[in-house]
């Protein structure tokens, strides 16, 4: 069963995908308008807000992945230390 964090990150990845598609659609729409027009500027503003949201979601995912990797490495190290038998060395 997935924990709450996994579900949240899965939702964040889904939102990144949706935002990416919206940005592509807006880019196509914006290209059909003159750069000086009010519509062009409105579309650009919407795109900036979406890009900001996309960055926020990407930071959430990156942070989660780093934490997950760090936790996995730490547990692996702890397991190795727990399983290691003391070794007697002969010193000459």
């Amino acid at each position: 069963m997935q924990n709450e964090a996994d579900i949240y990150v899965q939702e964040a990845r889904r939102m990144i995908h949706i935002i990416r598609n919206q940005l592509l659609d807006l880019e196509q729409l914006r290209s059909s308008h003159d750069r000086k027009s009010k519509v062009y500027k409105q579309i650009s503003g919407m795109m900036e807000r979406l890009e900001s949201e996309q960055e926020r979601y990407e930071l959430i995912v990156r942070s989660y992945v780093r934490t997950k990797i760090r936790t996995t490495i730490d547990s692996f190290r702890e397991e190795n230390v727990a399983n290691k038998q003391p070794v007697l060395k002969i010193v000459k």
Side-chain angles (χ1 to χ4, degrees):
M1 188 168 115
Q2 290 183 328
N3 66 25
E4 194 173 316
D6 289 335
I7 293 169
Y8 185 71
V9 168
Q10 192 174 30
E11 185 65 19
R13 286 182 173 140
R14 189 178 74 79
M15 289 302 298
I16 291 169
H17 180 72
I18 290 170
I19 290 171
R20 194 172 294 135
N21 288 337
Q22 288 176 337
L23 285 170
L24 290 172
D25 293 342
L26 285 171
E27 180 62 40
Q28 289 176 345
L29 183 62
R30 185 175 72 168
S31 67
S32 65
H33 293 278
D34 183 36
R35 286 182 182 254
K36 295 179 182 178
S37 72
K38 186 176 180 178
V39 174
Y40 185 92
K41 291 176 183 173
Q42 288 174 334
I43 293 171
S44 294
M46 284 189 278
M47 289 177 71
E48 287 174 15
R49 286 189 296 278
L50 283 173
E51 287 167 349
S52 171
E53 272 299 295
Q54 184 179 19
E55 287 173 13
R56 188 175 72 81
Y57 283 119
E58 287 172 349
L59 285 172
I60 290 169
V61 170
R62 262 188 253 135
S63 172
Y64 176 77
V65 169
R66 280 191 200 122
T67 303
K68 197 80 162 172
I69 289 170
R70 192 176 312 117
T71 304
T72 303
I73 290 172
D74 290 346
S75 67
F76 180 74
R77 285 179 182 154
E78 288 173 10
E79 188 177 305
N80 278 345
V81 168
N83 290 337
K84 222 176 207 180
Q85 299 295 324
V87 178
L88 294 175
K89 293 182 181 179
I90 299 174
V91 180
K92 291 186 180 184

